[in-house]
Amino acid sequence: MPVIPLNSANDSRLEPYRHVKDRDLTGRQGLFMAEGKVVLERLFASPLCETVSVLTTPARLEGLSVPDDAPVYIVDQAVMDAVAGFPIHRGYLALGRYAPPQSLEDILAQTGRLRVMALSAIANTDNMGGLMRNAAAFGVDAVVLDSACCDPFYRKAIRVSVGGALVVPHYRLGAGQSLLEVLNTHGLTAYALSPAGDQVLDQIVPAERSAFLLGAEGPGLRREILDTAISVQIPMHGGFDSLNVATTSGIVLYHLCR
Amino acid sequence: MPVIPLNSANDSRLEPYRHVKDRDLTGRQGLFMAEGKVVLERLFASPLCETVSVLTTPARLEGLSVPDDAPVYIVDQAVMDAVAGFPIHRGYLALGRYAPPQSLEDILAQTGRLRVMALSAIANTDNMGGLMRNAAAFGVDAVVLDSACCDPFYRKAIRVSVGGALVVPHYRLGAGQSLLEVLNTHGLTAYALSPAGDQVLDQIVPAERSAFLLGAEGPGLRREILDTAISVQIPMHGGFDSLNVATTSGIVLYHLCR
């Protein structure tokens, strides 16, 4: 990890860190911004991601296990805030690149036990972050997103995931591709979560190769998915029929990923 | 429900709705602001809360089951936005007052089965909302908060709870009161959630009278609580030791409140 002190907010090497709030809105070509010490440590250790560079302050460098080939730019807090465009209280930023060694085909073609989380139209970055956090916590093998989902590599989604987004591989389908078709093609049994599901979660003994489908709060999963997959509900109390989608994933994955 | 059309944003009857974002910061004397149709319906039906008044637009009045004695102020969307201080896209606001018929003593003095959620130092309104949503979804009898928790009746917490905060009674302890002492005094068995808990969630068969203690993410519950209560962990995968506190409550309550 070459350590490179920089004095000026105008240094061209700081370009990727400039106005990081706006970066989420433009084409990022697999690049993403990680922030905070815990998230950076997950990035450094992740076999799915490369660390392109790190930006921090002198006092925070110690104890950071940056990969050997990634430059670490050291600046004062004021320079860091000026470059980023807002106060970086956590004091750590890193530019990463998603570069998973396996394709979705590779992962789904594996024989034996498989646990997949399949997401449809999850557009809220907080929920996406919560879902990726739970996928990491319960050891999901892969996350498949339809084209209506937001990017798990939005800065806020990574932060909310506490780095879970950097640990579990995710794959986005094209606009014409169907989640169910992809899962069926690879012999995965699809369980679709819905407050009106036919089966109750406790009664489910998941197949060796299982996928759990979750949709956006409010509209939920499309009718055709619920009709084709095994629909599953989490029983609730007193007519309250509403759980947050990330919380739902936590309950489901805790139950079915063991 | 007297229906009262108002033409001016300056009408004094709209005072409680003025600049609602700032209201959270001042003394509210049990009053709270509910927003959105689903949340208003939970307010109207809640035996814990009174509806003081409602503010909506002409087109949205139909089908709203407002209690008989609560005035409904009808204004144009532009007046509503001007009064509230920001665009009220959901088009429904209501002023409510928390007035539970039972005290914490009354609830805890009940014999028989009891499920209590006890929260320590939950200062984040999103997490508080998520916790109250899950408490409602899984039928918790009461929520006890220590004095370091934020108010479940912050506008945002109510919204995130999807009205769950209006359905489950909550009680805040004074600065000198201890959660564990209150629970012990009433014969509740205390289970304290922690990533390093001695017991594994699956092995817990909850006592007839049980309380589940949750602390803020990061610091978690204080050492003295973990040492005195039965400490419980949710096993996670591959060294990932981090779940959101609301997600944790969902997993725990789903398991132990049935």
Side-chain angles (χ1 to χ4, degrees):
Chain A
M1 48 172 247
V3 175
I4 304 167
L6 298 177
N7 294 316
S8 164
N10 296 321
D11 194 293
S12 64
R13 285 165 289 189
L14 297 176
E15 196 53 43
Y17 296 95
R18 214 171 294 288
H19 305 302
V20 296
K21 282 192 175 172
D22 301 335
R23 297 275 156 160
D24 270 351
L25 305 175
T26 61
R28 290 175 289 130
Q29 293 132 359
L31 296 171
F32 58 86
M33 188 60 56
E35 53 188 336
K37 191 173 187 188
V38 172
V39 173
L40 261 61
E41 283 168 351
R42 292 205 196 283
L43 166 60
F44 302 153
S46 172
L48 304 174
C49 300
E50 297 164 9
T51 304
V52 178
S53 67
V54 174
L55 178 63
T56 190
T57 59
R60 292 186 171 99
L61 182 60
E62 198 178 317
L64 215 55
S65 315
V66 184
D68 285 345
D69 53 349
V72 180
Y73 302 122
I74 300 291
V75 297
D76 288 342
Q77 184 73 45
V79 172
M80 192 171 194
D81 295 350
V83 169
F86 68 106
I88 304 292
H89 298 300
R90 294 161 194 244
Y92 299 92
L93 289 173
L95 183 67
R97 180 184 286 116
Y98 184 50
Q102 284 189 300
S103 68
L104 177 60
E105 292 287 313
D106 289 340
I107 288 188
L108 298 187
Q110 289 169 22
T111 54
R113 182 186 149 109
L114 211 52
R115 292 289 181 265
V116 170
M117 182 166 80
L119 304 178
S120 176
I122 303 290
N124 177 296
T125 48
D126 281 318
N127 284 337
M128 181 59 77
L131 286 157
M132 295 302 293
R133 185 176 182 177
N134 293 339
F138 296 114
V140 160
D141 296 297
V143 176
V144 188
L145 316 168
D146 72 10
S147 60
C149 285
C150 70
D151 191 339
F153 280 152
Y154 275 136
R155 192 172 52 90
K156 191 177 180 195
I158 295 174
R159 189 179 67 222
V160 172
S161 80
V162 196
L166 313 180
V167 171
V168 180
H170 72 265
Y171 302 91
R172 176 183 296 277
L173 301 185
Q177 281 183 290
S178 141
L179 281 174
L180 276 182
E181 270 181 39
V182 168
L183 301 172
N184 283 339
T185 302
H186 291 90
L188 284 136
T189 301
Y191 301 90
L193 273 294
S194 167
D198 293 329
Q199 311 262 333
V200 170
L201 178 59
D202 276 8
Q203 297 166 352
I204 301 293
V205 179
E208 170 100 334
R209 298 166 63 79
S210 291
F212 311 112
L213 284 92
L214 295 148
E217 286 181 69
L221 288 166
R222 287 197 312 283
R223 193 69 250 164
E224 67 204 74
I225 290 181
L226 293 174
D227 287 347
T228 310
I230 298 167
S231 68
V232 179
Q233 63 162 288
I234 296 172
M236 277 170 263
H237 175 90
F240 206 90
D241 67 351
S242 156
L243 282 175
N244 168 268
V245 65
T247 296
T248 301
S249 76
I251 295 171
V252 169
L253 298 177
Y254 172 70
H255 260 264
L256 302 181
C257 280
R258 285 173 292 175
Chain B
M1 49 172 251
V3 175
I4 304 165
L6 299 177
N7 294 316
S8 163
N10 296 320
D11 193 294
S12 64
R13 286 166 289 189
L14 297 176
E15 196 53 43
Y17 296 95
R18 214 171 295 288
H19 304 302
V20 297
K21 282 192 175 173
D22 301 336
R23 298 274 157 161
D24 270 351
L25 306 175
T26 60
R28 290 174 289 129
Q29 292 133 2
L31 295 171
F32 59 85
M33 188 59 57
E35 54 188 336
K37 192 173 188 189
V38 172
V39 173
L40 261 62
E41 283 166 352
R42 292 205 196 281
L43 166 61
F44 302 154
S46 171
L48 304 174
C49 301
E50 295 164 10
T51 304
V52 178
S53 67
V54 175
L55 178 63
T56 188
T57 60
R60 293 187 170 99
L61 182 59
E62 201 178 314
L64 215 54
S65 316
V66 184
D68 285 347
D69 53 348
V72 179
Y73 303 123
I74 301 291
V75 297
D76 289 342
Q77 184 72 46
V79 172
M80 190 169 196
D81 295 350
V83 170
F86 67 106
I88 304 292
H89 297 300
R90 295 160 194 245
Y92 299 91
L93 288 173
L95 183 66
R97 181 184 287 114
Y98 183 52
Q102 285 188 300
S103 68
L104 177 60
E105 292 287 312
D106 289 340
I107 288 189
L108 297 188
Q110 288 170 22
T111 54
R113 182 186 148 108
L114 212 51
R115 292 289 181 267
V116 169
M117 183 167 79
L119 304 179
S120 176
I122 304 289
N124 176 296
T125 49
D126 281 317
N127 284 338
M128 181 58 78
L131 287 157
M132 294 303 291
R133 185 175 183 177
N134 294 339
F138 296 114
V140 159
D141 296 297
V143 176
V144 188
L145 316 168
D146 71 11
S147 61
C149 286
C150 71
D151 191 338
F153 280 153
Y154 274 137
R155 192 172 52 88
K156 191 177 180 195
I158 294 174
R159 189 179 70 222
V160 171
S161 81
V162 196
L166 313 179
V167 172
V168 180
H170 71 265
Y171 303 91
R172 176 183 296 276
L173 301 186
Q177 282 183 288
S178 141
L179 281 174
L180 276 184
E181 270 180 40
V182 169
L183 301 172
N184 282 341
T185 301
H186 292 89
L188 285 134
T189 302
Y191 301 90
L193 273 293
S194 167
D198 293 330
Q199 310 263 331
V200 170
L201 178 60
D202 275 8
Q203 297 166 352
I204 301 293
V205 179
E208 171 100 333
R209 298 166 62 78
S210 290
F212 311 112
L213 285 93
L214 295 148
E217 287 182 67
L221 290 166
R222 286 197 314 280
R223 192 70 250 166
E224 67 205 73
I225 291 181
L226 292 173
D227 286 347
T228 310
I230 297 166
S231 69
V232 180
Q233 63 161 289
I234 296 173
M236 278 170 260
H237 175 90
F240 205 90
D241 66 351
S242 156
L243 282 174
N244 168 270
V245 65
T247 295
T248 301
S249 76
I251 296 171
V252 169
L253 298 176
Y254 172 71
H255 260 263
L256 302 181
C257 279
R258 283 175 292 175

